[in-house]
Amino acid sequence: MIKKVILLSILVIHVLGFSQEENYIINSITFKGLKRTKASFLKRIIGSKEGEKLNSLQLEEDITTLKRLPAIYHVEITSDKKETSYDLIYNVYESSTILPELAFWTTTNNRFAYKIGVYDYNFLGRNIAIGGFYQNNGYDTYAVNFRAPNLFSKKWGLAVNHLNWKSEEPLFFDNSSANYLYNNISTEVLGLYQLNFNHQFTFGVNVFEENYRYLFGAVSPSVPQNLSVDKILYKFLYNYNDLKYYFHRLEGFKSLLNVEYVTSTNDFQDTFFIAWNDFFYYRRLWSQGNWANRLRIGFSSNNNSPFAPFALDNNLNLRGVGILVDRGTGVVVYNTEYRHTLYDKKWLTIQGNAFIDAGTWRQPGGELNDLFKSENVRIFSGVGLRFINKKIYNAIFRIDYGFSLRDQTRGLVFGIGQYF
């Protein structure tokens, strides 16, 4: 018996020849390198099964499926060939998935804010994410989250989230603005369904209470200074994912559709509909480059209200624009950046990036052609750095400096994870 360690490209050619001519059978499947992840769980979610025919395309899907898990950052295949069968060995490189969360920033009124929390993205070794956080931005906020994509089977899972959020936010109306204390108390239950390798669906309900309390700024007879309302949100998400992972670099296409329908119990806010689609395209360039793109197109019920859902913000869409500087009922945003690996060793990678962020908004109660008006279009460019720990899930610290190509607006943006 000769043991062969082969790269995926060689394995595909090798297995194709055998499967076409001799229909080799998978005699056994084992996993090496596991620390917390359960082998029984991994066997359940991959497509290759013991006793079935060896399929090179399925092996390729299995590797991508495993790389998509937060607990795994790389996979290699070892095979033991026998007369009419193969023993497959998946050599797994696990990520650390128990992560503390710590962040500092300045709020809209220049108040110091911080956030602390902890999450385990591989609870019980079964791809279950569980955790929570506490945030203080002058007000107390907390959340607890549970997500188990494979709780019931390979295809069916469940997510449950509870949030009590408070923040001081500007609302824009009558060419002026006012600051309100916003409080959202919500409980959400979602079903998770994976149709196949590329297609996933999320659907469920969110029951929440919203409170707005006037703090300071402009007032208007048409805008209440205090508002409390109970709402029910029905949510549907469709995720098409055809990304391939090469450590910190990505290649391929992904589309994420989010549709929400909100019912309300008060006369001031009508039944509300919102939908947006994020399109992602990634391409590897040369040996160390990665071109990344995101296009967001979104629309909501076009109420002439200061509570419009699409915000213009540093951390959401345009780096350098500021914190919650405007709102709209329609949005088109395009982000593109080139990421280049400057340093890459066993556990640490440093990337540099250059980007362009551009977006336009429909004003609340406005017309569709608002999206094409010059005064609603904003364009930013800039550069940044990424510090990536390859052995810890999503351990990417980013810093970007963005500046407007149309005026003097500029600023630094910090965060965890890639911007998109």
Side-chain angles (χ1 to χ4, degrees), residues 372-418:
F372 304 99
K373 293 180 179 179
S374 176
E375 61 267 27
N376 295 328
V377 177
R378 293 172 170 86
I379 305 175
F380 282 72
S381 186
V383 295
L385 286 173
R386 306 289 184 268
F387 299 89
I388 305 170
N389 187 319
K390 294 188 289 186
K391 294 187 176 183
I392 301 177
Y393 171 65
N394 203 36
I396 303 173
F397 174 75
R398 58 177 163 83
I399 177 172
D400 291 305
Y401 175 74
F403 55 89
S404 173
L405 299 182
R406 306 189 66 182
D407 55 39
Q408 298 302 309
T409 307
R410 60 193 63 211
L412 286 170
V413 183
F414 301 88
I416 302 297
Q418 293 285 11

Side-chain angles (χ1 to χ4, degrees), residues 121-136:
Y121 293 93
N122 192 26
F123 182 62
L124 301 179
R126 299 183 180 278
N127 193 36
I128 297 172
I130 187 170
F133 69 83
Y134 167 78
Q135 174 179 294
N136 187 291

Side-chain angles (χ1 to χ4, degrees), residues 35 49 73 75-76 135 166 248 263 290 312 396:
K35 298 177 182 177
K49 303 298 181 183
Y73 70 89
V75 179
E76 295 174 351
Q135 174 179 294
K166 291 182 181 179
H248 53 279
T263 63
N290 208 176
L312 176 57
I396 303 173

